[in-house]
Structures are given as structure tokens and as C-alpha cells.
Amino acid sequence: MDRVNTKLINFPDDISLKHCAEIIVKGGIVVFPTETVYGLGADALNPSAVEKIFTAKGRPNDNPLIIHLHDISVLDKYVMEVPQVLSLLSKLYMPGPLTVVLKKKNIIPDCVTANLDTVAVRIPDNDIARKLIEYSDTAIAAPSANISGKPSPTMYEHVVSDLFGKADAIINGGKCRIGVESTVLDLTSEKPVILRPGGVPYDSLKLVIKDLQVANTSSSDTPKSPGMKYKHYAPKADMVIIKGDMLRVLERINSMSDDYSGVLCCKETYDRYDTANKLCAGSIKDPSEIASNIFECLRLFDEMQIKIIYCEYFDTKGIGEAVMNRLLKAASQNVIEV
Ligand code: TXA
Ligand code: MG
């Protein structure tokens, strides 16, 4: 791929966002912040622009993209039908970290959806993202703005490191508030199915959807959300998750640690690990704090050139489910029970 001249937008104001929108309209690719993770966007209606996303990320073509809208009022333009359950869901979570899969209209090119007859749609809860989409006056197709397989980017520094010289512009929106990707909810099957746990927890959706189903995201069969079959979120280091009573977890990790290993833990246990190579993701009492730091921690271990990460098994309540889903994938499901 030819190296491109990447514009760095450090202080996104209306003028620079309109300039980025022009880049999108002309078929370029732009990195923008959302409340979940940074996205790498292109005009969803322009196949050659969308192809650039796959090339820049090194993403397999059979993994479909989410289209991002600035407002629910334009949804009709892109999807065949809007199921009834969406009217309440959209009031609660759109804008927000919820992606819904719906039957697509032909206006969406096949390269966006990897030839599926459905399309994933989300309205980000981030002013920069929504202005960029509105000024572009289109839908923006965007995956997470990481090189394929790497942890998703939650900070400006992450996207500069992955996509400088590949994207036409990178917009600095600071640290992403939520820190894990959106929940992907399929509304095209008989019963709504969570394809990927994310920013909107199961319990919150269950309140609205009585017959809510959950896809088995750890199985290696062809999943309905094609992206779930790839090794994701992986730091360079190997990773092992240690599960069990807190004291035993501490003991086991301390017994295995050496100069080449790192420990990913919570605030409550941090002081009790002997090694200096340790990172605290947040308090066990605050799963959203852990969510907002988790991808950053994985990237920091890479910078520290750690060879193996020993990670605590965090609580899976609320957004904790999405956190453990990502960590288990990063660890290739490698868990030691103590
Ligand atoms: O929070 C997020 O969702 C971020 C921000 C940038 O919006 N985006 C994101 O995109 O995580 P990506 O491409 O990294 O993950 C999209 C997921 C993949 O697992 C993909 O397979 C699934 O959504 N997906 C996309 N279109 C689909 C479809 N039509 N049917 C089923 N799954 C779909
Ligand atoms: Mg991704």
C-alpha cells in the first residue's frame, strides 16, 4: 500500500471537521473518536473508499463493517424494515454503544456487508463523530481503527501508532469514554440475538427484550457475526487468565512471575504482586473503569516488551462481560483455574 500523507487534527473544530468530511466525500479514509473505541471511516456508499479501509487495516474481506449514522431519522434510507422493538431500543441506546443488524437496502454496497443481506448500524454518542457524519451527509462505514488482530484503539496515540501513513486524517478525541466496542444485536432472526457483548450490557437489553438470545461467541463454528471467528484484541505477548479465589490467584501468579512476565490486575490486589511489571486496570468495584483501561493495558504490555501476561479473571457483571470476552480472546481462551 502506498504511504499517504496523514493530516493530524489535534483540535477538532467545525472548520477541521468539515475538512475531514470533505476527505470522506472525496473517497478518503478518516480516523475518528467514538464513545467506545476509535473508528476508521469511509463513505459507506463508495466501494473503492471502503476497500481502502480493508487494505489499511489488513482486514479480511469476509468481515463486514458497521455503518455509522448521525441520527436515527436517516435509518430508512439504508434498511428494508425497522422492527418494532427498535423504537424503544433506539430511544434508550441510539446514540450509544449499541449496533443493530437489520435487512439492508441495495444502496449499501456488498463490500460493506461482506455479501450478507443484512447491515450493522450504529449511532455513536460522541459529538465529533456525529458532526463528521452529518457534515459528510452519508453513512460512514467504520471498523475499529486498529491494525487487524491488535487490541482496539482507545487513545489518540494508539491510532497514530497503527494508522499514521495509512489514513488520510486522524482526529484527536482524547481517551474513549467506554473503552470496549458496541454490543452487536441481530434483529433479523426470529428472536433478537446478541452477537457480540459490548457497551450495552445483557441485563439492560433484557429489560426491553424478553426473548433475548445470546450467540455462542467462543465456539469456532461459523458464527453469525463473522468478525467473532478471528483472533482479536491480541497483544504480542502470550496471555493466561487465572481464575479462582483471590488469595490463590495472587499466590499462583506470584509463583509464576519472572522478569519477562507481566501482571494485569485490579486496584485491590495491585500492591500484593511482587513484580514491577504490573498494570492496574481499575477497581473491582467499578467494571466500567476496568473497561475503559483494558485495551490500553494490553498495548502497554507490548511497549514493555513483556513475553507473557498473567491476568486476573475480572467480574463479568454488566460491562464486565464484554471485558472478559475480549480478554479471553486475547488469551486464546487460555484459563488456569486455581
Ligand atoms: O464500537 C464499535 O462497534 C466500533 C466503533 C468504531 O463503532 N466498531 C467496531 O467495528 O468494533 P468492528 O468492525 O471492529 O466490529 C464489527 C463487528 C464484527 O464482529 C462484525 O463481524 C460484526 O460487527 N458485523 C458487522 N456487520 C454485520 C452483519 N451484517 N451481521 C453480523 N455481524 C456483523
Ligand atoms: Mg474491531
Side-chain angles (χ1 to χ4, degrees), residues 77-126:
K77 185 171 172 194
Y78 305 102
V79 305
M80 299 287 266
E81 54 191 352
V82 178
Q84 221 193 335
V85 63
L86 193 60
S87 64
L88 184 51
L89 275 179
S90 65
K91 280 196 188 87
L92 293 170
Y93 304 117
M94 299 174 96
L98 177 69
T99 295
V100 289
V101 175
L102 300 165
K103 290 274 178 222
K104 85 174 181 88
K105 279 191 176 157
N106 284 338
I107 187 174
I108 307 278
D110 289 336
C111 59
V112 171
T113 61
N115 297 314
L116 298 172
D117 60 359
T118 57
V119 62
V121 185
R122 170 164 124 76
I123 303 171
D125 186 17
N126 175 295

Side-chain angles (χ1 to χ4, degrees), residues 37 57 59 63 143-146 150 152 181 196 232-233:
V37 302
K57 275 186 62 104
R59 179 178 175 109
N63 193 1
S144 50
N146 50 291
K150 275 213 200 182
S152 290
E181 303 89 336
R196 176 179 74 180
H232 258 97
Y233 318 110

Side-chain angles (χ1 to χ4, degrees), residues 107-179:
I107 187 174
I108 307 278
D110 289 336
C111 59
V112 171
T113 61
N115 297 314
L116 298 172
D117 60 359
T118 57
V119 62
V121 185
R122 170 164 124 76
I123 303 171
D125 186 17
N126 175 295
D127 284 346
I128 296 174
R130 281 223 304 288
K131 280 187 184 166
L132 175 71
I133 304 165
E134 192 179 357
Y135 296 157
S136 307
D137 195 25
T138 184
I140 294 190
S144 50
N146 50 291
I147 297 293
S148 242
K150 275 213 200 182
S152 290
T154 52
M155 296 172 75
Y156 178 64
E157 294 73 19
H158 301 164
V159 279
V160 172
S161 142
D162 278 16
L163 293 171
F164 188 81
K166 294 184 172 175
D168 295 294
I170 299 179
I171 305 173
N172 186 349
K175 180 167 167 157
C176 299
R177 179 167 57 83
I178 294 178

Side-chain angles (χ1 to χ4, degrees), residues 254-289:
N254 273 332
S255 76
M256 293 189 296
S257 289
D258 59 24
D259 292 348
Y260 305 100
S261 61
V263 178
L264 181 49
C265 62
C266 61
K267 212 173 266 171
E268 287 76 3
T269 53
Y270 183 81
D271 287 337
R272 304 185 61 178
Y273 288 107
D274 304 330
T275 177
N277 305 330
K278 53 185 174 181
L279 294 175
C280 155
S283 166
I284 30 173
K285 295 186 200 111
D286 187 0
S288 21
E289 183 186 16

